[in-house]
Amino acid sequence: MELPFSESYKIKMIEQLKRSTREQREEWIKEAQYNLFKLSSDKVFIDLLTDSGTGAMSDRQWAAIMTGDESYAGARSFFELKSTVQKIMGFEYMLPTHQGRAAENVLFSVLIKEGDIVPGNSHFDTTKGHIEFRKAKAVDCTIDEAFDTTLDHPFKGNIDIEKLEKVYKEYPREKIPCCVVTVTCNSSGGQPVSIANLREVSQLSKKYGVPVLFDSARFSENAYFLKMREPEFKNWTIKEIVREMYKYADMATMSSKKDGLVNIGGFIGLHSEEIYRQACTFNIMFEGYITYGGMSGRDMAALAVGLDESTEFEYLETRIKQIEYLGNKLIEYGVPIQYPIGGHAIFVDANKILPNVPKEQFRAQTLGVELYIEGGIRGVEIGAILADRDPVTRENRFPKLELLRLAIPRRVYTNNHMDYIAAALKNVFDRRHQIKSGLEITWEAPIMRHFTVEMKKA
Ligand SMILES: *Cc1c(COP(=O)(O)O)cnc(C)c1O
C-alpha cells in the first residue's frame, strides 16, 4: 500500500478550543453587528479570519526567543535578521517594522506623492489604503483569467504585460514611483506569479525606469508553486527559487506575520542606498530606531529562524497540502470555490452560492455570517465591503468577485478540523436557496471600512 501523506511535524503544546451552540452564535453575531472582526475570539471555534500572525512557532523559534538581544541600537538579533534577509532575498539593506503595513507606510512615505499612479497585480487592501491615503491611484493590471473563478490557470497572480505597458505609456515616469507585485497575490486568491512573468515585468519596468517592489507576505508559498508548476524549477530547492524570484525585485515590503512564521513583525528590503537613507528617517519617526523598528530583539530572532523554516520544502508541502485537502473536500461536496486552490486559503464563490441575495446586500459577508452561525467558523469577506467606496465618487465599488476567504493559520489546525469546516460549509450550501436577503450597513469608517463596519439584517 502506498503510504499517505502526513504532516512533517508533531505537536508539543496545545491550546483548548471553546465550543458553542447555534443559539449562542446567532446572538453573538447580532451583538457584533454582523461584522466578524467584532467577535471576541472565545466565541469562535475555528478561526479562519486570517493566516496573519496566527501561526504556531516551532521549538527552534521558541528557543531563539530566549536568545533575543534587547539592545536599543545594534542588537545582535537585528544582525541575525539582516543577514538572513540578505541570504534568502538578497537585499543589502533591511529595515525592521512592526508589521507589513508599517513597512508600506515607511517606504511609501519616501516613494509616493499625490497624483501618482501605482500599477501592479491586485493590490492588498492595506497597500491600496496606503496608496490612496497619499491621494495616489492603484491600478490593477492582473491578467483577466484571474477573475474567472472556474478557470484553471497555474499563475493567476500574473501581471498582464500589455495592461502594464499601457500604464507606463499613459503616464510620465515621474508619476509612477513603482510597480507593486504581490507574491502570492492575495486579492486574486493566493495565486502565484510565475518567474516568467516576474522576468517580463522586470524587463518592461527597467525599460521605463520604474522600480519593481515585491509585496512579499507569502513569498515562500509562491516559490513552492513555482517548484510544482514551472518545469524549469522542478529540481530546485525553495531557497534557490526564492533567490531567483528576488533577482527581479528592486525592493520589498514584508509582513512577517505570514511567511515569516511569527506573530508580529515586518521589514523593508532594499538595494538602493539612497532610498534606504530616506526610509531610515521615516522608520525612526514611525517605527523605532533602524535596528529594531517596532520589533523586540526576541521577535527579530524568532523571525530569522522563521524565514529559514518557511523556505524549506517540507514545511511548505505540509502547509499547502492541508489547504488542498480542504479544497478537495469542498469540491467533492459541490461547493463552488476558486480554482486552482491557492496557497494560504480557500476562496468560496459567494456569487454562485447566493445569487438570490442582491449584491448590494453583500453576498460574501452574508455567507460568512451563515458559516459562523452554522459551525462557529470565522472566515472573512473579500468582496464589496472590502472593495470600499471609490475615493473620488464615494460610490460603493462592486468587484467582479464576491469571495468568502477561509484562511488557514500555519501549523495550527489538523485535518479533522478541515473535515469539520467542509461539513459546516456543505450544510450552508445545502440550504442556500432559503437565504434570500443579506445585510445593510448602518455605520462605516471613511477608509478601510471592513474592519469596523456595522451592519444589520436587510
Ligand atoms: C498581510 C499583508 C500586508 C500587510 O501586512 P500586515 O502585517 O497585516 O500589516 C500587505 N500585503 C500583503 C500581500 C499581505 O498579505
Side-chain angles (χ1 to χ4, degrees):
M1 182 177 183
E2 198 188 325
L3 297 179
F5 179 76
S6 68
E7 293 79 357
S8 62
Y9 50 78
K10 58 181 178 175
I11 297 165
K12 215 194 253 309
M13 191 189 286
I14 61 108
E15 179 182 338
Q16 194 64 40
L17 293 176
K18 284 206 179 78
R19 293 183 199 271
S20 55
T21 65
R22 174 183 285 262
E23 291 68 38
Q24 285 176 315
R25 294 191 291 269
E26 278 172 349
E27 190 55 39
W28 291 339
I29 192 65
K30 192 173 164 208
E31 280 167 20
Q33 283 123 336
Y34 299 96
N35 182 342
L36 294 152
F37 283 98
K38 289 194 177 216
L39 283 171
S40 65
S41 65
D42 58 355
K43 297 184 171 68
V44 176
F45 181 55
I46 298 182
D47 204 345
L48 310 181
L49 184 75
T50 175
D51 62 326
S52 178
T54 53
M57 292 206 295
S58 68
D59 51 353
R60 277 180 66 214
Q61 287 181 286
W62 281 109
I65 288 266
M66 297 307 294
T67 69
D69 176 0
E70 306 301 342
S71 303
Y72 190 96
R76 178 179 22 78
S77 306
F78 167 78
F79 291 106
E80 282 165 17
L81 177 59
K82 181 176 151 74
S83 80
T84 304
V85 169
Q86 181 155 31
K87 207 168 64 202
I88 288 179
M89 296 173 168
F91 291 113
E92 296 89 330
Y93 301 100
M94 188 279 293
L95 279 171
T97 61
H98 79 273
Q99 60 185 87
R101 71 200 65 185
E104 291 164 356
N105 187 31
V106 169
L107 188 56
F108 291 177
S109 295
V110 178
L111 297 177
I112 299 177
K113 56 187 189 316
E114 188 173 336
D116 280 354
I117 304 289
V118 185
N121 48 5
S122 298
H123 300 68
F124 185 69
D125 58 346
T126 62
T127 317
K128 196 175 195 159
H130 272 295
I131 292 168
E132 291 179 350
F133 182 73
R134 289 170 172 80
K135 298 192 165 53
K137 195 168 155 224
V139 182
D140 189 339
C141 299
T142 315
I143 54 170
D144 289 333
E145 288 90 330
F147 301 102
D148 180 351
T149 59
T150 56
L151 198 75
D152 203 346
H153 184 291
F155 297 109
K156 281 186 173 178
N158 279 0
I159 287 184
D160 185 321
I161 296 298
E162 274 175 31
K163 287 187 198 171
L164 183 63
E165 184 151 30
K166 194 163 161 272
V167 173
Y168 286 170
K169 282 191 169 144
E170 198 172 326
Y171 300 94
R173 158 68 189 96
E174 60 279 8
K175 282 237 172 286
I176 312 173
C178 60
C179 169
V180 178
V181 188
T182 308
V183 289
T184 59
C185 191
N186 193 328
S187 310
S188 69
Q191 301 293 331
V193 184
S194 71
I195 294 257
N197 192 244
L198 293 178
R199 283 174 184 151
E200 281 184 297
V201 168
S202 162
Q203 208 175 16
L204 186 72
S205 302
K206 270 211 174 75
K207 186 175 141 194
Y208 287 89
V210 178
V212 175
L213 186 158
F214 282 8
D215 183 350
S216 304
R218 297 181 181 80
F219 75 101
S220 50
E221 290 173 6
N222 199 83
Y224 175 86
F225 285 119
L226 297 180
K227 185 175 171 72
M228 305 318 272
R229 295 180 188 171
E230 214 164 1
E232 185 184 344
F233 304 108
K234 193 164 169 270
N235 298 316
W236 291 36
T237 67
I238 296 294
K239 286 192 166 67
E240 287 165 348
I241 298 171
V242 168
R243 281 305 291 263
E244 181 63 25
M245 277 168 57
Y246 279 85
K247 274 189 192 164
Y248 309 104
D250 298 291
M251 45 197 163
T253 50
M254 174 71 184
S255 168
S256 306
K257 304 171 72 172
K258 285 59 167 264
D259 283 353
L261 299 182
V262 291
N263 302 114
I264 193 79
F267 59 84
I268 299 166
L270 292 163
H271 293 302
S272 160
E273 188 184 359
E274 178 53 31
I275 296 174
Y276 168 73
R277 278 183 194 282
Q278 293 177 41
C280 281
T281 306
F282 290 105
N283 216 65
I284 291 167
M285 278 193 337
F286 298 147
E287 294 295 298
Y289 183 61
I290 56 173
T291 62
Y292 74 88
M295 293 183 77
S296 61
R298 55 182 173 270
D299 283 345
M300 289 190 284
L303 173 57
V305 177
L307 288 170
D308 179 49
E309 289 182 352
S310 90
T311 48
E312 284 298 317
F313 180 74
E314 288 252 293
Y315 155 75
L316 285 163
E317 186 186 35
T318 297
R319 164 147 181 81
I320 309 279
K321 286 217 155 131
Q322 184 169 56
I323 320 279
E324 282 170 3
Y325 178 84
L326 174 60
N328 288 331
K329 268 259 134 82
L330 291 170
I331 291 168
E332 192 189 308
Y333 294 157
V335 178
I337 62 168
Q338 177 161 45
Y339 298 96
I341 296 164
H344 63 286
I346 298 294
F347 292 75
V348 187
D349 192 334
N351 280 336
K352 291 220 178 78
I353 300 179
L354 300 177
N356 298 329
V357 174
K359 74 174 193 307
E360 293 77 13
Q361 293 178 12
F362 307 111
R363 287 171 182 159
Q365 183 68 19
T366 303
L367 183 64
V369 166
E370 290 295 333
L371 182 63
Y372 172 71
I373 292 170
E374 183 69 33
I377 299 157
R378 169 158 72 170
V380 75
E381 188 245 28
I382 309 269
I385 297 175
L386 179 70
D388 221 319
R389 293 176 187 273
D390 184 285
V392 180
T393 67
R394 301 306 299 159
E395 290 296 316
N396 271 316
R397 291 188 277 215
F398 291 100
K400 285 178 220 158
L401 298 180
E402 277 284 334
L403 301 170
L404 175 66
R405 185 184 77 173
L406 306 176
I408 312 297
R410 294 168 179 78
R411 310 190 283 204
V412 171
Y413 294 112
T414 68
N415 282 5
N416 281 332
H417 291 117
M418 300 302 122
D419 289 341
Y420 176 98
I421 296 160
L425 195 50
K426 180 182 187 300
N427 288 348
V428 175
F429 182 65
D430 288 348
R431 60 177 168 82
R432 64 191 180 281
H433 299 301
Q434 288 143 253
I435 306 167
K436 297 199 175 80
S437 63
L439 301 159
E440 238 171 63
I441 293 180
T442 55
W443 180 85
E444 65 184 278
I447 194 165
M448 286 197 253
R449 65 179 179 183
H450 55 291
F451 289 118
T452 51
V453 67
E454 295 173 3
M455 283 164 285
K456 64 177 173 113
K457 283 204 161 166

